[in-house]
Amino acid sequence: TVHLLSSELLKRNIRWTIDCRHNGAALQADPDQLRQVLINLIQNAADAMPQGGSLTLTTQSVNSHIELTICDTGQGIPPALLPKIFDPFVSTKSDGNGLGLAMVYSILRAHRGSIRADSHPGRGTTFTVELPL
């Protein structure tokens, strides 16, 4: 999925890295839905870095889960908005509709997974996804 967006990331002057540390364990999940999760999270990260920056995608096995983190060096999310970002129609973008992260949350819940965000305005955001093996 990152490869699908790589030319777009390069056009935006975004350096990206992938670090896969898991042991090759397989998920039982709908690949199209998980692809949509990744596309939404990567697109949001890219949109948060209009002047360029860094994007890191890391996967690792943690107990009986796969943990995926997507970290950007973008603008960050205002602290007052952070608890609401997975609610429908809540967006940090002036042209956003607030449905992307709501959809991500819904897809992950349907796969018995979870997502959380940690953000520091001016320094970036990290989304952590956990999915059961």
Short mmCIF file of all heavy atoms in Angstrom, two decimals, residues 62-115:
data_model
loop_
_atom_site.label_atom_id
_atom_site.label_comp_id
_atom_site.label_asym_id
_atom_site.label_seq_id
_atom_site.Cartn_x
_atom_site.Cartn_y
_atom_site.Cartn_z
N VAL A 62 3.65 -8.39 18.92
CA VAL A 62 3.61 -8.12 20.35
C VAL A 62 2.60 -9.09 20.94
O VAL A 62 1.40 -8.97 20.69
CB VAL A 62 3.19 -6.66 20.65
CG1 VAL A 62 3.09 -6.42 22.13
CG2 VAL A 62 4.13 -5.67 19.98
N ASN A 63 3.11 -10.08 21.69
CA ASN A 63 2.26 -11.13 22.25
C ASN A 63 1.44 -11.76 21.14
O ASN A 63 2.00 -12.29 20.19
CB ASN A 63 1.39 -10.59 23.38
CG ASN A 63 2.24 -10.05 24.52
OD1 ASN A 63 3.26 -10.62 24.86
ND2 ASN A 63 1.80 -8.96 25.11
N SER A 64 0.13 -11.69 21.19
CA SER A 64 -0.70 -12.34 20.18
C SER A 64 -1.27 -11.31 19.19
O SER A 64 -2.33 -11.52 18.61
CB SER A 64 -1.85 -13.10 20.86
OG SER A 64 -2.63 -12.19 21.61
N HIS A 65 -0.55 -10.21 19.01
CA HIS A 65 -1.00 -9.14 18.13
C HIS A 65 0.10 -8.72 17.17
O HIS A 65 1.27 -8.93 17.43
CB HIS A 65 -1.40 -7.89 18.93
CG HIS A 65 -2.64 -8.07 19.74
ND1 HIS A 65 -2.64 -8.72 20.94
CD2 HIS A 65 -3.91 -7.68 19.50
CE1 HIS A 65 -3.87 -8.73 21.43
NE2 HIS A 65 -4.66 -8.10 20.58
N ILE A 66 -0.32 -8.12 16.10
CA ILE A 66 0.59 -7.37 15.24
C ILE A 66 0.36 -5.90 15.59
O ILE A 66 -0.78 -5.45 15.66
CB ILE A 66 0.30 -7.60 13.74
CG1 ILE A 66 0.70 -9.00 13.32
CG2 ILE A 66 1.01 -6.56 12.87
CD1 ILE A 66 2.18 -9.24 13.20
N GLU A 67 1.43 -5.19 15.84
CA GLU A 67 1.33 -3.76 16.11
C GLU A 67 1.92 -3.01 14.92
O GLU A 67 3.02 -3.30 14.49
CB GLU A 67 2.09 -3.42 17.39
CG GLU A 67 1.99 -1.98 17.78
CD GLU A 67 2.73 -1.70 19.07
OE1 GLU A 67 2.12 -1.85 20.15
OE2 GLU A 67 3.92 -1.35 18.97
N LEU A 68 1.14 -2.09 14.41
CA LEU A 68 1.55 -1.26 13.29
C LEU A 68 1.55 0.18 13.76
O LEU A 68 0.55 0.64 14.32
CB LEU A 68 0.56 -1.43 12.13
CG LEU A 68 0.61 -0.39 11.02
CD1 LEU A 68 1.82 -0.61 10.14
CD2 LEU A 68 -0.67 -0.44 10.20
N THR A 69 2.66 0.87 13.58
CA THR A 69 2.69 2.29 13.91
C THR A 69 2.99 3.09 12.66
O THR A 69 3.79 2.68 11.82
CB THR A 69 3.74 2.63 15.00
OG1 THR A 69 5.02 2.21 14.55
CG2 THR A 69 3.42 1.96 16.31
N ILE A 70 2.31 4.22 12.55
CA ILE A 70 2.55 5.17 11.47
C ILE A 70 2.87 6.49 12.14
O ILE A 70 2.02 7.07 12.83
CB ILE A 70 1.33 5.28 10.54
CG1 ILE A 70 1.10 3.93 9.86
CG2 ILE A 70 1.53 6.39 9.52
CD1 ILE A 70 -0.12 3.87 8.99
N CYS A 71 4.10 6.94 11.98
CA CYS A 71 4.57 8.17 12.62
C CYS A 71 4.88 9.20 11.54
O CYS A 71 5.53 8.88 10.54
CB CYS A 71 5.85 7.93 13.40
SG CYS A 71 5.70 6.70 14.68
N ASP A 72 4.44 10.43 11.79
CA ASP A 72 4.78 11.51 10.87
C ASP A 72 5.39 12.67 11.64
O ASP A 72 5.29 12.73 12.86
CB ASP A 72 3.55 11.97 10.07
CG ASP A 72 2.49 12.66 10.91
OD1 ASP A 72 2.80 13.69 11.55
OD2 ASP A 72 1.34 12.19 10.91
N THR A 73 6.04 13.54 10.92
CA THR A 73 6.64 14.74 11.52
C THR A 73 5.83 15.97 11.15
O THR A 73 6.37 17.05 10.95
CB THR A 73 8.11 14.90 11.06
OG1 THR A 73 8.14 14.98 9.63
CG2 THR A 73 8.97 13.75 11.54
N GLY A 74 4.54 15.79 11.07
CA GLY A 74 3.65 16.85 10.61
C GLY A 74 3.24 17.83 11.69
O GLY A 74 3.88 17.95 12.74
N GLN A 75 2.13 18.50 11.42
CA GLN A 75 1.64 19.59 12.26
C GLN A 75 1.09 19.13 13.59
O GLN A 75 0.99 19.92 14.52
CB GLN A 75 0.55 20.35 11.49
CG GLN A 75 1.02 20.89 10.18
CD GLN A 75 -0.13 21.30 9.28
OE1 GLN A 75 -1.30 20.99 9.53
NE2 GLN A 75 0.20 22.02 8.23
N GLY A 76 0.72 17.89 13.70
CA GLY A 76 0.14 17.38 14.93
C GLY A 76 -1.34 17.72 15.02
O GLY A 76 -1.89 18.45 14.21
N ILE A 77 -1.97 17.17 16.02
CA ILE A 77 -3.40 17.34 16.25
C ILE A 77 -3.57 18.14 17.53
O ILE A 77 -2.96 17.81 18.55
CB ILE A 77 -4.11 15.97 16.38
CG1 ILE A 77 -3.90 15.16 15.10
CG2 ILE A 77 -5.58 16.13 16.70
CD1 ILE A 77 -4.28 13.69 15.23
N PRO A 78 -4.39 19.19 17.51
CA PRO A 78 -4.61 19.97 18.73
C PRO A 78 -5.10 19.07 19.88
O PRO A 78 -5.96 18.21 19.67
CB PRO A 78 -5.68 20.98 18.34
CG PRO A 78 -5.59 21.07 16.85
CD PRO A 78 -5.16 19.72 16.38
N PRO A 79 -4.56 19.26 21.09
CA PRO A 79 -4.93 18.39 22.22
C PRO A 79 -6.44 18.32 22.48
O PRO A 79 -6.95 17.25 22.81
CB PRO A 79 -4.21 19.02 23.41
CG PRO A 79 -3.06 19.75 22.82
CD PRO A 79 -3.53 20.23 21.47
N ALA A 80 -7.17 19.40 22.31
CA ALA A 80 -8.61 19.38 22.56
C ALA A 80 -9.36 18.53 21.55
O ALA A 80 -10.43 18.00 21.84
CB ALA A 80 -9.16 20.81 22.55
N LEU A 81 -8.80 18.37 20.36
CA LEU A 81 -9.45 17.59 19.30
C LEU A 81 -9.07 16.11 19.35
O LEU A 81 -9.82 15.26 18.87
CB LEU A 81 -9.08 18.20 17.94
CG LEU A 81 -9.88 17.75 16.73
CD1 LEU A 81 -11.37 18.01 16.92
CD2 LEU A 81 -9.38 18.48 15.50
N LEU A 82 -7.94 15.79 19.93
CA LEU A 82 -7.41 14.43 19.91
C LEU A 82 -8.42 13.37 20.40
O LEU A 82 -8.57 12.34 19.74
CB LEU A 82 -6.11 14.36 20.72
CG LEU A 82 -5.26 13.12 20.51
CD1 LEU A 82 -4.87 12.91 19.07
CD2 LEU A 82 -4.01 13.21 21.37
N PRO A 83 -9.16 13.58 21.49
CA PRO A 83 -10.10 12.54 21.92
C PRO A 83 -11.28 12.33 20.97
O PRO A 83 -12.00 11.34 21.09
CB PRO A 83 -10.62 13.04 23.28
CG PRO A 83 -9.72 14.14 23.68
CD PRO A 83 -9.08 14.68 22.45
N LYS A 84 -11.48 13.23 20.02
CA LYS A 84 -12.64 13.17 19.13
C LYS A 84 -12.32 12.74 17.71
O LYS A 84 -13.22 12.65 16.88
CB LYS A 84 -13.31 14.54 19.07
CG LYS A 84 -13.73 15.07 20.41
CD LYS A 84 -14.23 16.49 20.29
CE LYS A 84 -14.49 17.08 21.66
NZ LYS A 84 -14.82 18.48 21.60
N ILE A 85 -11.06 12.48 17.40
CA ILE A 85 -10.68 12.29 15.99
C ILE A 85 -11.29 11.08 15.32
O ILE A 85 -11.35 11.03 14.09
CB ILE A 85 -9.14 12.27 15.81
CG1 ILE A 85 -8.53 11.12 16.61
CG2 ILE A 85 -8.54 13.61 16.15
CD1 ILE A 85 -7.06 10.90 16.33
N PHE A 86 -11.76 10.09 16.08
CA PHE A 86 -12.37 8.91 15.47
C PHE A 86 -13.89 9.06 15.35
O PHE A 86 -14.55 8.16 14.86
CB PHE A 86 -12.01 7.65 16.25
CG PHE A 86 -10.53 7.39 16.27
CD1 PHE A 86 -9.79 7.53 17.44
CD2 PHE A 86 -9.85 7.03 15.11
CE1 PHE A 86 -8.43 7.29 17.45
CE2 PHE A 86 -8.49 6.80 15.11
CZ PHE A 86 -7.77 6.93 16.28
N ASP A 87 -14.41 10.19 15.80
CA ASP A 87 -15.85 10.46 15.67
C ASP A 87 -16.15 10.93 14.25
O ASP A 87 -15.38 11.69 13.67
CB ASP A 87 -16.29 11.56 16.65
CG ASP A 87 -16.17 11.14 18.10
OD1 ASP A 87 -16.00 9.94 18.38
OD2 ASP A 87 -16.24 12.04 18.97
N PRO A 88 -17.28 10.50 13.70
CA PRO A 88 -17.65 10.96 12.35
C PRO A 88 -17.79 12.49 12.31
O PRO A 88 -18.25 13.10 13.28
CB PRO A 88 -19.01 10.29 12.09
CG PRO A 88 -19.05 9.14 13.03
CD PRO A 88 -18.24 9.53 14.22
N PHE A 89 -17.39 13.06 11.22
CA PHE A 89 -17.52 14.49 10.91
C PHE A 89 -16.62 15.38 11.75
O PHE A 89 -16.81 16.59 11.79
CB PHE A 89 -18.99 14.95 10.98
CG PHE A 89 -19.89 14.08 10.17
CD1 PHE A 89 -20.82 13.25 10.78
CD2 PHE A 89 -19.78 14.03 8.79
CE1 PHE A 89 -21.64 12.42 10.03
CE2 PHE A 89 -20.59 13.20 8.02
CZ PHE A 89 -21.53 12.39 8.65
N VAL A 90 -15.60 14.81 12.40
CA VAL A 90 -14.60 15.60 13.11
C VAL A 90 -13.34 15.54 12.26
O VAL A 90 -12.86 14.46 11.93
CB VAL A 90 -14.32 15.04 14.53
CG1 VAL A 90 -13.16 15.75 15.18
CG2 VAL A 90 -15.57 15.13 15.38
N SER A 91 -12.80 16.70 11.90
CA SER A 91 -11.63 16.74 11.02
C SER A 91 -10.71 17.89 11.42
O SER A 91 -11.16 18.93 11.89
CB SER A 91 -12.07 16.93 9.56
OG SER A 91 -10.94 16.96 8.72
N THR A 92 -9.42 17.69 11.21
CA THR A 92 -8.45 18.76 11.41
C THR A 92 -8.20 19.51 10.10
O THR A 92 -7.53 20.52 10.10
CB THR A 92 -7.09 18.20 11.90
OG1 THR A 92 -6.60 17.28 10.93
CG2 THR A 92 -7.24 17.49 13.24
N LYS A 93 -8.75 18.99 9.00
CA LYS A 93 -8.53 19.59 7.68
C LYS A 93 -9.68 20.52 7.32
O LYS A 93 -10.85 20.18 7.53
CB LYS A 93 -8.42 18.50 6.61
CG LYS A 93 -7.35 17.48 6.85
CD LYS A 93 -7.42 16.41 5.77
CE LYS A 93 -6.69 15.16 6.15
NZ LYS A 93 -6.87 14.11 5.17
N SER A 94 -9.35 21.66 6.74
CA SER A 94 -10.40 22.60 6.35
C SER A 94 -11.29 22.02 5.25
O SER A 94 -12.47 22.35 5.16
CB SER A 94 -9.79 23.92 5.88
OG SER A 94 -8.96 23.70 4.75
N ASP A 95 -10.74 21.12 4.43
CA ASP A 95 -11.53 20.52 3.36
C ASP A 95 -11.89 19.06 3.65
O ASP A 95 -12.35 18.35 2.78
CB ASP A 95 -10.79 20.62 2.02
CG ASP A 95 -9.46 19.87 2.04
OD1 ASP A 95 -8.96 19.53 3.14
OD2 ASP A 95 -8.92 19.61 0.94
N GLY A 96 -11.68 18.63 4.90
CA GLY A 96 -11.97 17.24 5.26
C GLY A 96 -13.42 17.05 5.67
O GLY A 96 -14.08 17.99 6.10
N ASN A 97 -13.88 15.80 5.54
CA ASN A 97 -15.26 15.51 5.94
C ASN A 97 -15.33 14.74 7.25
O ASN A 97 -16.41 14.48 7.75
CB ASN A 97 -16.02 14.77 4.82
CG ASN A 97 -15.40 13.43 4.49
OD1 ASN A 97 -14.68 12.83 5.28
ND2 ASN A 97 -15.70 12.94 3.30
N GLY A 98 -14.19 14.34 7.78
CA GLY A 98 -14.17 13.66 9.07
C GLY A 98 -14.64 12.22 9.04
O GLY A 98 -14.94 11.65 10.08
N LEU A 99 -14.66 11.61 7.86
CA LEU A 99 -15.11 10.23 7.78
C LEU A 99 -13.97 9.22 7.67
O LEU A 99 -14.16 8.04 7.95
CB LEU A 99 -16.08 10.05 6.60
CG LEU A 99 -17.39 10.83 6.74
CD1 LEU A 99 -18.24 10.66 5.49
CD2 LEU A 99 -18.15 10.38 7.98
N GLY A 100 -12.79 9.67 7.29
CA GLY A 100 -11.66 8.76 7.10
C GLY A 100 -11.27 8.02 8.36
O GLY A 100 -11.19 6.78 8.38
N LEU A 101 -11.01 8.73 9.45
CA LEU A 101 -10.61 8.07 10.69
C LEU A 101 -11.77 7.32 11.33
O LEU A 101 -11.57 6.30 11.98
CB LEU A 101 -10.00 9.06 11.67
CG LEU A 101 -8.60 9.55 11.32
CD1 LEU A 101 -8.12 10.57 12.34
CD2 LEU A 101 -7.61 8.40 11.21
N ALA A 102 -12.99 7.79 11.13
CA ALA A 102 -14.15 7.06 11.64
C ALA A 102 -14.25 5.70 10.93
O ALA A 102 -14.54 4.68 11.56
CB ALA A 102 -15.42 7.87 11.43
N MET A 103 -13.97 5.68 9.63
CA MET A 103 -13.99 4.44 8.87
C MET A 103 -12.85 3.52 9.32
O MET A 103 -13.05 2.31 9.50
CB MET A 103 -13.89 4.70 7.37
CG MET A 103 -13.93 3.44 6.55
SD MET A 103 -14.00 3.67 4.77
CE MET A 103 -12.75 4.86 4.46
N VAL A 104 -11.66 4.09 9.53
CA VAL A 104 -10.52 3.31 10.02
C VAL A 104 -10.89 2.63 11.34
O VAL A 104 -10.67 1.43 11.54
CB VAL A 104 -9.28 4.22 10.19
CG1 VAL A 104 -8.22 3.57 11.06
CG2 VAL A 104 -8.71 4.59 8.82
N TYR A 105 -11.45 3.41 12.25
CA TYR A 105 -11.84 2.89 13.56
C TYR A 105 -12.85 1.74 13.41
O TYR A 105 -12.71 0.69 14.03
CB TYR A 105 -12.44 4.03 14.40
CG TYR A 105 -12.84 3.62 15.79
CD1 TYR A 105 -11.92 3.56 16.82
CD2 TYR A 105 -14.16 3.27 16.07
CE1 TYR A 105 -12.28 3.17 18.10
CE2 TYR A 105 -14.54 2.88 17.34
CZ TYR A 105 -13.60 2.84 18.36
OH TYR A 105 -13.97 2.45 19.62
N SER A 106 -13.84 1.93 12.56
CA SER A 106 -14.88 0.93 12.35
C SER A 106 -14.31 -0.37 11.77
O SER A 106 -14.64 -1.46 12.22
CB SER A 106 -15.95 1.50 11.43
OG SER A 106 -16.93 0.55 11.16
N ILE A 107 -13.45 -0.23 10.78
CA ILE A 107 -12.83 -1.42 10.16
C ILE A 107 -12.01 -2.19 11.19
O ILE A 107 -12.09 -3.41 11.29
CB ILE A 107 -11.95 -1.02 8.95
CG1 ILE A 107 -12.82 -0.55 7.79
CG2 ILE A 107 -11.05 -2.19 8.52
CD1 ILE A 107 -12.04 0.09 6.64
N LEU A 108 -11.22 -1.47 11.98
CA LEU A 108 -10.36 -2.14 12.96
C LEU A 108 -11.19 -2.83 14.05
O LEU A 108 -10.86 -3.93 14.48
CB LEU A 108 -9.36 -1.16 13.56
CG LEU A 108 -8.31 -0.67 12.55
CD1 LEU A 108 -7.48 0.44 13.15
CD2 LEU A 108 -7.44 -1.82 12.06
N ARG A 109 -12.25 -2.18 14.49
CA ARG A 109 -13.13 -2.80 15.50
C ARG A 109 -13.75 -4.08 14.93
O ARG A 109 -13.89 -5.07 15.64
CB ARG A 109 -14.22 -1.82 15.95
CG ARG A 109 -13.71 -0.61 16.68
CD ARG A 109 -13.25 -0.89 18.05
NE ARG A 109 -14.38 -1.32 18.85
CZ ARG A 109 -14.30 -1.79 20.07
NH1 ARG A 109 -13.13 -1.87 20.65
NH2 ARG A 109 -15.35 -2.18 20.73
N ALA A 110 -14.14 -4.06 13.65
CA ALA A 110 -14.73 -5.24 13.02
C ALA A 110 -13.73 -6.39 12.94
O ALA A 110 -14.13 -7.56 12.87
CB ALA A 110 -15.26 -4.89 11.63
N HIS A 111 -12.44 -6.07 12.97
CA HIS A 111 -11.39 -7.09 12.94
C HIS A 111 -10.85 -7.37 14.35
O HIS A 111 -9.76 -7.93 14.49
CB HIS A 111 -10.24 -6.62 12.02
CG HIS A 111 -10.57 -6.75 10.58
ND1 HIS A 111 -11.28 -5.79 9.89
CD2 HIS A 111 -10.31 -7.74 9.69
CE1 HIS A 111 -11.42 -6.16 8.64
NE2 HIS A 111 -10.84 -7.35 8.49
N ARG A 112 -11.58 -6.96 15.38
CA ARG A 112 -11.18 -7.14 16.78
C ARG A 112 -9.87 -6.44 17.09
O ARG A 112 -9.11 -6.86 17.95
CB ARG A 112 -11.13 -8.63 17.14
CG ARG A 112 -12.46 -9.33 17.00
CD ARG A 112 -12.44 -10.81 17.39
NE ARG A 112 -11.17 -11.51 17.39
CZ ARG A 112 -10.65 -12.16 16.34
NH1 ARG A 112 -11.29 -12.17 15.19
NH2 ARG A 112 -9.51 -12.79 16.45
N GLY A 113 -9.62 -5.35 16.38
CA GLY A 113 -8.41 -4.57 16.60
C GLY A 113 -8.71 -3.26 17.30
O GLY A 113 -9.84 -2.97 17.68
N SER A 114 -7.66 -2.47 17.43
CA SER A 114 -7.80 -1.17 18.08
C SER A 114 -6.84 -0.18 17.43
O SER A 114 -5.92 -0.56 16.71
CB SER A 114 -7.50 -1.28 19.58
OG SER A 114 -6.14 -1.65 19.78
N ILE A 115 -7.08 1.10 17.72
CA ILE A 115 -6.21 2.16 17.22
C ILE A 115 -6.16 3.25 18.28
O ILE A 115 -7.14 3.51 18.98
CB ILE A 115 -6.69 2.73 15.87
CG1 ILE A 115 -5.68 3.76 15.33
CG2 ILE A 115 -8.10 3.28 15.97
CD1 ILE A 115 -5.91 4.16 13.90
#
